[in-house]
Amino acid sequence: MGLSTRLLQKIVRNEAMASDPPEIYGWRVYLLACSACFGAMSFGWDSSVIGGVIVMEPFIKDYNLGDISTPASSNLAANIVSTLQAGCFLGALLASPLTDRFGRKWCLIGVSVVIALGVIMQAAASGNLGPLYAGRFLAGVGVGAASTINPIYVSENAPRAIRGLLTGLYQLFIVTGGMIAFWINYAANLHFPGKKLMYIFPLAIQALPAVLLCGCMLLCQESPRWLARQDRWEECKRILSRTRNLPPDHPYIQEEFQEIVDQLEHERELIGDATFWNLQREMWTIAGNRKRVLISIVLMICQQMTGTNAINTYAPTIFKNLGLKGTTTSLFSTGIYGIVKVMSCICFLLFMADSLGRRRSLLWTSIAQGLAMFYIGLYVRIAPPKDGQEVPPAGYFALVCIFLFAAFFQFGWGPACWIYASEIPTARLRSLNVAFAAATQWLFNFVVARSVPVMLATVGSDGYGTYLIFGCFCFSMFFFVWFFVPETKGISLEAMDRLFGVTDTPAKSLTEDAPADHSDSKHQTHEKRVEVAA
């Protein structure tokens, strides 16, 4: 038994970890997860770099941005920032049919190329808003598509005992990309003062995660569950055996493979072939499936309404509003903020995701985030920082609350939402469910990115109402999770139907209009599948 497996057994506490063979936690499963998650790094990197770029003097001069605290300039800054999110919304919706048709692996490789092309356009814009908007939108299409495909690919390859940890790597790579972007902005501000390169370099280096995504995914295998949906059973079993580091005749492989066979057959018996309208009917007319997609959508709305991406994207501006003076100082504080997020996310993935669980993590962090936001808002309202004066002790604690908020978010609402969205859907609906969740996330990310500069300029003196609004949303999320979100740690993907109560009964009416010969072809497919499984 390797050192990593022994470490996992000490920190991950669930029934699956105690019963499953230790060989399945080999290096291949970590390579698969980390390779795909470079798409998530593009998400965090692209979203975070622009917040530092729009406060750099050369960028302000070249793009006629002016003082960002004025309504006109804040509108222009919001347009520049939110164009990426608009592209992400489109990409997230396009990803579902594409990844179902062409597979997880090759779609991730394709979106890496799209992201790289968008980054090149941004870096080459040189003061022209048109190419900058087009480049950010194109990169957004790639980033949004990756945000749908990445969690699907990881969850479909992950062993059930550590699925939360591996799927949560998505969030870790997001915050790592954001942290690197923050420090690159800081370094560019130090080393290229007053030069165009100050903002061109951070924009150009955004392509690095896309290049890594392309190169690493070429070394990885396709998802075995996607191969099963294509009836490529021999290939499915071979890759499952390779990923799990066990021979094909091992009882664990036989059991997991048979679960995939049985689950897919059950879904096809319920609703028929995976046409677009069949999938839509299956998702919205079967109560258990409808509950799962609605949970995923509401979780993503809640995730954005915590205000996390308001701070991620506009951190330098927010730190200035709290009394920190100078672009360099605010960029440095933003870099520290990024480090706090990364370390907190690592702690969650190691000690909470598969031990404390998803539900409890969401519950306590809802309250903690709300308290942090309320303190910041009340400080800005009651004792706002004054020009030319030192930051008072209450102001420094408000800055600490920004860092505490970042930690609380990573302890729950950051990674847990992506884990839920990718693990609770039934196999045939997984890409569609994650696409709806990701598109919702990007839609509300766009709303936040577009509105926050205006809110900071108009909602109360120094924008104190912005923080109170986000704090109220945080408190309300506690009640949604308490009444509607179940615990899923240690449960296999194929067992989610039992958790959400999906049975044959509600779906019988949906298959009444099926073609007369469909059951025969389905029966033949089932016989073929059972033969392969044997």
Side-chain angles (χ1 to χ4, degrees):
M1 187 185 302
L3 176 62
S4 63
T5 303
R6 290 198 298 271
L7 182 61
L8 280 175
Q9 290 177 340
K10 288 184 181 298
I11 62 177
V12 176
R13 303 291 183 180
N14 58 47
E15 292 180 7
M17 176 57 71
S19 61
D20 292 347
E23 292 86 354
I24 66 175
Y25 309 113
W27 61 270
R28 287 191 181 92
V29 72
Y30 299 110
L31 175 64
L32 282 166
C34 291
S35 297
C37 284
F38 282 116
M41 185 174 282
S42 283
F43 173 0
W45 198 309
D46 290 20
S47 299
S48 299
V49 75
I50 195 66
V53 165
I54 60 174
V55 298
M56 293 178 177
E57 289 299 327
F59 185 88
I60 291 171
K61 179 181 177 183
D62 287 355
Y63 289 91
N64 299 315
L65 199 54
D67 184 1
I68 201 170
S69 63
T70 63
S73 293
S74 64
N75 267 314
L76 178 56
N79 288 336
I80 292 171
V81 170
S82 62
T83 306
L84 178 85
Q85 283 82 354
C88 289
F89 177 76
L90 176 62
L93 291 177
L94 292 176
S96 176
L98 290 175
T99 191
D100 282 346
R101 175 67 180 85
F102 299 107
R104 319 320 191 194
K105 171 181 174 176
W106 289 106
C107 280
L108 282 172
I109 292 171
V111 300
S112 69
V113 176
V114 173
I115 294 170
L117 290 174
V119 169
I120 291 170
M121 292 178 68
Q122 291 177 62
S126 190
N128 298 302
L129 277 173
L132 181 68
Y133 283 146
R136 286 188 62 74
F137 185 84
L138 184 61
V141 171
V143 169
S147 72
T148 294
I149 304 166
N150 184 333
I152 298 171
Y153 181 75
V154 176
S155 67
E156 289 183 344
N157 279 284
R160 59 183 179 177
I162 58 169
R163 190 175 61 247
L165 187 155
L166 293 182
T167 308
L169 285 176
Y170 180 81
Q171 181 68 19
L172 178 61
F173 272 67
I174 290 175
V175 296
T176 301
M179 179 192 70
I180 295 172
F182 291 150
W183 285 108
I184 285 177
N185 285 342
Y186 176 69
N189 191 73
L190 283 181
H191 296 291
F192 309 120
K195 301 177 182 176
K196 283 180 180 285
L197 197 58
M198 180 190 287
Y199 70 84
I200 291 176
F201 178 74
L203 291 176
I205 202 69
Q206 292 177 102
L208 181 59
V211 172
L212 292 172
L213 173 64
C214 183
C216 292
M217 285 306 302
L218 288 171
L219 304 175
C220 293
Q221 304 285 346
E222 184 54 84
S223 161
R225 287 172 169 84
W226 180 81
L227 292 170
R229 290 187 57 198
Q230 309 305 307
D231 290 325
R232 293 160 63 177
W233 296 100
E234 291 289 355
E235 200 174 347
C236 167
K237 195 168 190 178
R238 177 179 59 80
I239 290 177
L240 192 63
S241 170
R242 181 176 174 81
T243 305
R244 297 291 182 261
N245 199 32
L246 292 170
D249 58 353
H250 191 282
Y252 181 88
I253 297 295
Q254 296 282 4
E255 180 184 356
E256 185 173 7
F257 181 75
Q258 192 60 47
E259 276 190 342
I260 296 172
V261 171
D262 294 342
Q263 176 69 15
L264 190 57
E265 174 62 17
H266 176 64
E267 291 170 6
R268 287 174 174 173
E269 286 176 353
L270 280 180
I271 211 76
D273 292 332
T275 63
F276 175 78
W277 291 113
N278 274 346
L279 292 177
Q280 291 295 327
R281 288 197 297 174
E282 185 175 357
M283 173 169 282
W284 297 107
T285 61
I286 297 177
N289 292 336
R290 183 170 62 248
K291 180 179 178 182
R292 285 184 272 192
V293 69
L294 290 176
I295 286 174
S296 300
I297 288 172
V298 176
L299 283 176
M300 288 302 182
I301 294 173
C302 291
Q303 186 194 67
Q304 292 308 302
M305 297 315 294
T306 61
T308 182
N309 278 314
I311 299 177
N312 291 349
T313 306
Y314 299 106
T317 303
I318 288 172
F319 280 119
K320 281 186 176 180
N321 287 350
L322 292 179
L324 293 182
K325 302 304 178 186
T327 302
T328 301
T329 303
S330 62
L331 289 176
F332 180 80
S333 301
T334 304
I336 300 298
Y337 172 78
I339 292 175
V340 170
K341 291 178 66 178
V342 170
M343 299 308 297
S344 304
C345 190
I346 291 172
C347 290
F348 171 80
L349 296 179
L350 290 178
F351 303 110
M352 296 184 185
D354 292 305
S355 299
L356 179 63
R358 293 67 148 144
R359 175 181 158 85
R360 289 180 184 174
S361 299
L362 292 176
L363 286 171
W364 79 266
T365 55
S366 300
I367 302 300
Q369 289 172 166
L371 291 173
M373 278 291 188
F374 259 66
Y375 180 87
I376 297 167
L378 292 174
Y379 161 72
V380 174
R381 172 66 182 88
I382 297 169
K386 295 187 169 109
D387 290 339
Q389 295 185 6
E390 291 294 323
V391 179
Y396 280 112
F397 188 72
L399 294 171
V400 170
C401 282
I402 293 283
F403 298 128
L404 287 175
F405 173 85
F408 296 146
F409 182 78
Q410 299 309 322
F411 285 151
W413 285 93
C417 294
W418 290 106
I419 294 170
Y420 266 113
S422 61
E423 72 180 2
I424 62 176
T426 196
R428 291 207 310 168
L429 299 177
R430 186 165 294 120
S431 67
L432 195 59
N433 191 100
V434 177
F436 281 140
T440 302
Q441 189 265 350
W442 285 114
L443 175 62
F444 279 82
N445 194 326
F446 171 82
V447 170
V448 169
R450 183 64 186 80
S451 60
V452 163
V454 180
M455 291 171 69
L456 290 173
T458 60
V459 183
S461 58
D462 297 301
Y464 78 89
T466 306
Y467 307 103
L468 299 182
I469 290 170
F470 287 133
C472 289
F473 275 109
C474 289
F475 288 131
S476 67
M477 294 166 196
F478 175 91
F479 298 100
F480 169 71
V481 175
W482 181 268
F483 289 108
F484 298 108
V485 180
E487 184 55 73
T488 57
K489 69 172 183 178
I491 299 174
S492 71
L493 294 181
E494 284 70 32
M496 293 295 173
D497 279 358
R498 294 194 293 275
L499 178 65
F500 286 90
V502 175
T503 63
D504 292 358
T505 306
K508 285 183 179 177
S509 62
L510 299 178
T511 57
E512 288 176 356
D513 58 348
D517 62 344
H518 180 71
S519 60
D520 292 336
S521 62
K522 185 169 56 185
H523 179 68
Q524 293 169 3
T525 305
H526 177 62
E527 289 180 343
K528 175 184 175 184
R529 231 176 279 121
V530 170
E531 181 182 345
V532 173

